[in-house]
Amino acid sequence: MNGPRGSAGILWALRPLVAGLALTAILSTPLAGQGVRGTVQLLGRTIEMRPLLQDTVSLDLVEEDENGRLTYDGKPVYCVGGATCDYWRSLPTQTAAVLSADVSVTAWGLGVQGLSATTVFRVRGDTDSDFVWPQSQRTFDAMLGYLQYVRSGLRIRAGRQRTLSGLGFSGFDGLDAMWEPLDWLRVEGYAGRSLARGLNEPRHEALKGLENFHTDQDAYLFGGYAEFEPSPGSTVSVRYQREIWRNRSALVSERASVDFRTSALRPVSLLGAADWDFAFGKLGKAHLTGQVPWRDANLLFEATARRYRPYFELWTIWGYFSPVAYNEGEFRATWSGIPDIQIYALGSYLKYEDSKTSSLPWGELDEDITRLGGGLSWTPSQTFFMEGEYLFQCCAGAYLSSGEARLRWQPHWRFGLTTFGTAFQQFQEFRIGEGVGIGAGLTLDLGITRRSALSGGISTNQLMYKNQPAAEDWDQLRGWIGLRIDFGDDPGMAAVRRRTR
C-alpha cells in the first residue's frame, strides 16, 4: 500500500526515522553500572535525472549521416535485420528522495565481566518520488547485532556479524570465536547462516524470485583464520571459507587466501596476498608489492606485480563461465621533499589472457592496457588542503582520460567548506561514446557541539557530446544533508572519571 503524497508523504516517510530514534533512546539509556556509546546519523538524499528508455523505430524512418552511421532524429540506432531498429531516448526529468537514520550502539556492564552488546541498524523512509530509490522500500536493515565476550585472550561473538578479508565481505548470523594463545599467534573460527553478498539479509529473502537458478534458498558459511609472526616485523595470515546450500546439494563457494607482510629485508618492505578458488582449481587475485624509501624517506618507490581474475559465486550464471584474467606490472614513486607537498607518479602495463573468442566484426580484441597517472597534494596550513590527480588509460576495452581536483577550507572546527571537480572522456566503450563528462560539487560541514555536526552538499554531473547533438541526456543533480550525533563515553574514559570522583 502506498503512503500519502505531498507534504503528508514526507511526514509518512519520517515514521521509521522517529521509530529508529526512539529505539536508540531506549538502547542508549544505561542502567545502574552500565555504559553505552554510539552514534546516530540522519541523512536525506535526493537525485534529479532523466531516465533512458529503449524504444523502436521503423526502418523506413532511419537515416544515414555523413559518417555512415544510422540515426533517427539525430540519435544513433541499432538495426539487426527486421523492419524496426532500436534506440534510446530520454524521458522527462524525474526526482527521487530518501530519508534514513544509521544507528550504532555498544553497551557494556551487562552483569558479566567482559560482556558487551553491539548493534548497527538503518531505518529508512521513502518520500513521494517519481521512481524507486534502491532499497528505499526496506524500512529496517540490521547490519550488525551481536553479543561479545572478551576474557584472557579469548573473544566470542554471537549474532549478526561480518568478516573482512582478502575474500571480501562475508556476512552471517552465527558464532565467531577468536583465541590468542601466544603473543605471536591468533586463531579464529566462525560459522552460521550466510547472508547475501552486499545485502544485510538472509539468502532466502535476498534471492526471492530466483528459485530456478539455485536448488535451495538458504546457505551456511564455515570459515577459519590463523595469523602468526614467524619473525619480528613479519606477519602471515591464512584463511579458509566454505559456503554450502542448506540441503547440501551443492557448494556456493569454497576459497582460501594467504596474506603476508615483512620488513625483515630493510630498507625493503614486502607485502602480498593471494586467493585460491577450489571449485575451479584456479588462482584468483594475487599481488606482490615491494617498497623502498630513498633519501631519508623523502622518496618512496613501489613496484607491484598483480594478477586479477573476477570471482562469482557458483550459483550465479557467471559461475558457469571462465572469466578472463589479467596480469599487471605497476611502478609508483612518491616524493615529499618539500614540506606540506606530496607528489606521486605511476605507470603500469596490463595484459589480458587469451579470451578464446572468434574474430569480431570490428576486429580483434585488444589485450594490452597502458596506464599513466600522477597526483599532487598541498597542505599550506591547517586551514587549507588541496589535491588533484590525473589518469590516462589505453586501450583494451576503452580509452580513458580523467582528472579530479579538491579544495578544503576549514578555518574553525565549527566550519568546513569543500569544493571538487572532475572531468573524464572515454572512447571505444558503450558508456558515453564520444562524450566528455564533467562534474562539480560543494559540501559544507557545520560543527554544532563537540558531539554533533551538520553537513550537506550538492553536485552536478553533465555529459557533453561530440558529433552527436541529439544524444541522450544523462545529466544528474544530486543533493544531501546529514546530522551526526555522538552519545556516551569511551569505556576507559568512563572508568577514569569514576575513579576521580
Side-chain angles (χ1 to χ4, degrees):
M1 182 179 68
N2 294 327
R5 303 177 65 85
S7 58
I10 297 178
L11 297 176
W12 179 275
L14 289 173
R15 295 188 312 156
L17 304 188
V18 173
L21 291 176
L23 181 57
T24 303
I26 296 173
L27 294 173
S28 61
T29 304
L31 301 176
Q34 289 184 337
V36 174
R37 183 185 182 191
T39 299
V40 179
Q41 184 163 352
L42 307 177
L43 182 63
R45 291 172 291 175
T46 181
I47 179 172
E48 181 182 279
M49 61 183 294
R50 296 188 66 182
L52 298 178
L53 175 68
Q54 187 175 16
D55 207 343
T56 60
V57 61
S58 172
L59 183 61
D60 299 334
L61 300 177
V62 173
E63 300 177 349
E64 184 175 337
D65 64 14
E66 63 275 9
N67 297 316
R69 294 179 298 190
L70 299 179
T71 64
Y72 167 69
D73 195 23
K75 298 179 175 63
V77 298
Y78 311 95
C79 307
V80 187
T84 60
C85 300
D86 295 331
Y87 75 102
W88 292 90
R89 62 181 177 88
S90 300
L91 296 176
T93 300
Q94 296 185 9
T95 302
V98 66
L99 303 173
S100 65
D102 288 358
V103 181
S104 173
V105 181
T106 297
W108 61 94
L110 305 179
V112 177
Q113 185 176 359
L115 182 64
S116 65
T118 296
T119 179
V120 179
F121 63 89
R122 173 176 298 161
V123 289
R124 302 183 183 90
D126 192 11
T127 62
D128 182 18
S129 301
D130 295 324
F131 60 92
V132 177
W133 192 291
Q135 294 291 307
S136 62
Q137 294 180 325
R138 287 182 54 85
T139 302
F140 181 85
D141 255 343
M143 282 83 83
L144 297 175
Y146 59 83
L147 291 173
Q148 175 173 281
Y149 177 77
V150 179
R151 193 68 179 264
S152 301
L154 177 66
R155 188 203 70 194
I156 300 175
R157 288 178 177 173
R160 174 156 297 185
Q161 48 197 302
R162 65 168 67 128
T163 65
L164 173 61
S165 68
L167 301 179
F169 284 96
S170 298
F172 63 96
D173 294 332
L175 186 68
D176 175 284
M178 188 271 290
W179 181 40
E180 294 187 44
L182 302 168
D183 292 340
W184 52 270
L185 176 64
R186 181 175 71 176
V187 294
E188 182 180 0
Y190 50 92
R193 180 178 62 172
S194 174
L195 304 181
R197 292 288 185 272
L199 298 172
N200 303 297
E201 55 183 318
R203 291 176 179 269
H204 71 273
E205 291 291 338
L207 304 180
K208 271 183 180 177
L210 300 178
E211 291 87 351
N212 295 331
F213 292 92
H214 54 86
T215 57
D216 197 4
Q217 291 184 330
D218 219 339
Y220 295 122
L221 178 144
F222 306 90
Y225 169 81
E227 180 181 292
F228 58 95
E229 298 181 16
S231 63
S234 301
T235 60
V236 179
S237 61
V238 293
R239 182 181 297 267
Y240 171 81
Q241 189 167 288
R242 176 187 178 103
E243 290 179 272
I244 189 170
W245 293 118
R246 182 176 56 190
N247 63 2
R248 302 182 182 180
S249 61
L251 284 173
V252 177
S253 67
E254 185 179 16
R255 304 165 71 204
S257 67
V258 58
D259 297 78
F260 79 91
R261 180 187 297 268
T262 180
S263 57
L265 304 176
R266 293 178 180 174
V268 179
S269 297
L270 294 176
L271 60 148
D275 66 73
W276 180 264
D277 191 331
F278 287 95
F280 289 97
K282 292 182 179 180
L283 182 67
K285 303 184 296 295
H287 81 271
L288 176 63
T289 299
Q291 299 176 332
V292 182
W294 190 262
R295 294 188 180 275
D296 298 327
N298 288 334
L299 190 60
L300 178 66
F301 295 109
E302 296 178 89
T304 300
R306 181 181 294 111
R307 175 181 175 81
Y308 180 81
R309 181 188 298 275
Y311 165 74
F312 302 99
E313 292 183 341
L314 297 177
W315 72 270
T316 68
I317 187 173
W318 298 108
Y320 293 95
F321 295 92
S322 181
V324 179
Y326 68 75
N327 301 305
E328 180 180 13
E330 179 181 291
F331 180 79
R332 179 182 179 123
T334 303
W335 180 68
S336 55
I338 300 177
D340 306 322
I341 293 180
Q342 187 176 85
I343 302 174
Y344 80 89
L346 66 87
S348 70
Y349 175 76
L350 181 154
K351 186 175 181 62
Y352 281 91
E353 294 182 348
D354 184 8
S355 61
K356 300 178 182 179
T357 57
S358 57
S359 297
L360 300 172
W362 54 83
E364 298 294 331
L365 287 173
D366 290 329
E367 295 181 348
D368 311 38
I369 287 180
T370 300
R371 290 194 182 111
L372 299 172
L376 180 148
S377 63
W378 180 36
T379 311
S381 67
Q382 295 182 347
T383 301
F384 283 99
F385 173 77
M386 300 175 61
E387 67 176 356
E389 58 183 4
Y390 173 79
L391 177 65
F392 168 85
Q393 174 179 306
C394 186
C395 282
Y399 163 98
L400 170 66
S401 175
S402 68
E404 297 181 1
R406 185 166 69 100
L407 170 64
R408 173 76 174 175
W409 178 50
Q410 188 166 3
H412 193 270
W413 70 267
R414 290 185 181 272
F415 179 84
L417 184 66
T418 303
T419 180
F420 57 90
T422 181
F424 65 94
Q425 187 175 24
Q426 289 178 295
F427 295 155
Q428 302 178 3
E429 195 175 20
F430 294 115
R431 293 180 64 185
I432 64 173
E434 297 182 37
V436 177
I438 296 179
L442 186 73
T443 63
L444 178 65
D445 300 305
L446 300 175
I448 303 173
T449 68
R450 291 293 183 180
R451 293 193 175 195
S452 62
L454 182 68
S455 58
I458 187 171
S459 66
T460 179
N461 295 278
Q462 299 184 357
L463 292 179
M464 300 182 297
Y465 291 90
K466 180 180 179 182
N467 301 325
Q468 290 180 239
E472 300 84 9
D473 182 357
W474 287 46
D475 298 350
Q476 293 186 10
L477 180 66
R478 296 172 178 257
W480 62 275
I481 185 170
L483 174 64
R484 178 185 175 93
I485 303 172
D486 298 325
F487 58 88
D489 294 308
D490 180 270
M493 295 301 297
V496 170
R497 275 193 288 270
R498 284 195 298 268
R499 288 196 299 268
T500 57
R501 286 175 182 171

